Amino acid sequence: MTTLLMAVPGAAPALSQTCDSLTPGPTGRVVAISDGDTIDLDSGLTVRLVGIQAPKLPLGREGFETWPLADEARDRIESLVMGKTVTLHYGGETRDRHGRALAHVVVEQDGEDLWVQAEMLRSGLARVYSFPDNRSCLDLLYVAEGQGRAEGAGIWRDPYYAIRDAAHPETLLEREGGYELVDGRVLNAEAAGSRVFLNFGRVWREDFTVVIERAGLRVFEAAGIDPLSLDNAVIRVRGWIEVDDGPRIEVTHPEQIEVLARP
């Protein structure tokens, strides 16, 4: 049974090995780096490092503004893997709609296997970023992210990536369309039709809300988790800020939520 992640301090996971739920995939030599979470192999395969999101570069997108520290993230992963042979490991869907491999990446460093995702998180040059069809090893990745944040590494020194306060929805409105981490106490959790709402204020047209749609509720149910149990809990939720009346984040799987404290 999956449980909601508890956000607790601790050491980074052992980087000499990936978690044991992964399936080994192909190997290849890295010949190009697009950004801090995308690499190309000599086989012609493009690999999207699953489980993390590095600061984004435009990569040809007109009008797209470079996120802070995007160049540093690209340089860091380049220093780890460029020209080296890496091994892919799969823990869910293996390809995205663009045909890229969705994989955890391991490279040998100083005679040991280095889990590249965890190292990028520990360096503060990525955040945990997950999908309902690719959820393996997230507990370990959260630990690595937590260490980077505790040390004030990389992005955690930049206000652009600050953890937002659910009690200030006006600041979340300014971040519409952005991927954010938001902390707050759930004022009440309620089911309405085919949805569950986690409300962080009394004025639903203005305050921050987490929404779990029918498809997401099926994922919660399969994991044996009742989101209504989060009533009055202090949580951290991550996702894309939308505005529908007030600001909100849609949650599609339990791992988007970390429990900071329960009543």
Side-chain angles (χ1 to χ4, degrees), residues 33-209:
I33 306 289
S34 297
D35 57 21
D37 53 38
T38 311
I39 62 177
D40 292 335
L41 305 184
D42 57 356
S43 63
L45 186 63
T46 296
V47 182
R48 172 64 170 86
L49 275 70
V50 73
I52 66 170
Q53 178 198 65
K56 292 183 175 294
L57 289 164
L59 300 179
R61 290 173 287 189
E62 186 176 352
F64 188 95
E65 294 187 6
T66 300
W67 293 11
L69 278 81
D71 290 326
E72 289 84 346
R74 181 186 56 196
D75 292 347
R76 178 57 177 151
I77 197 169
E78 182 174 334
S79 72
L80 292 172
V81 303
M82 186 63 184
K84 299 178 181 179
T85 297
V86 300
T87 302
L88 307 188
H89 294 256
Y90 297 121
E93 287 294 319
T94 61
R95 296 291 186 274
D96 68 8
R97 61 189 177 91
H98 305 293
R100 301 179 299 181
L102 300 172
H104 294 266
V105 176
V106 175
V107 65
E108 184 177 322
Q109 185 176 92
D110 299 327
E112 295 188 347
D113 287 341
L114 179 73
W115 184 8
V116 177
Q117 271 93 330
E119 180 61 21
M120 291 295 291
L121 292 165
R122 189 192 64 79
S123 300
L125 291 170
R127 295 178 289 187
V128 174
Y129 182 65
S130 59
F131 292 90
D133 58 6
N134 233 310
R135 298 155 57 201
S136 296
C137 310
L138 291 173
D139 53 346
L140 297 178
L141 294 180
Y142 271 114
V143 172
E145 181 194 273
Q147 184 182 27
R149 187 167 56 245
E151 295 176 355
I155 64 174
W156 304 112
R157 297 192 301 269
D158 193 303
Y160 185 90
Y161 301 100
I163 297 175
R164 313 298 172 186
D165 186 346
H168 296 286
E170 67 280 1
T171 64
L172 296 175
L173 290 173
E174 298 170 358
R175 306 295 297 178
E176 181 181 5
Y179 185 79
E180 301 293 334
L181 279 60
V182 182
D183 285 3
R185 182 178 295 278
V186 179
L187 184 67
N188 74 299
E190 62 178 1
S194 61
R195 300 171 172 175
V196 164
F197 295 92
L198 307 181
N199 299 305
F200 291 78
R202 298 187 182 280
V203 184
W204 61 270
R205 290 187 180 274
E206 300 176 4
D207 291 314
F208 176 62
T209 305

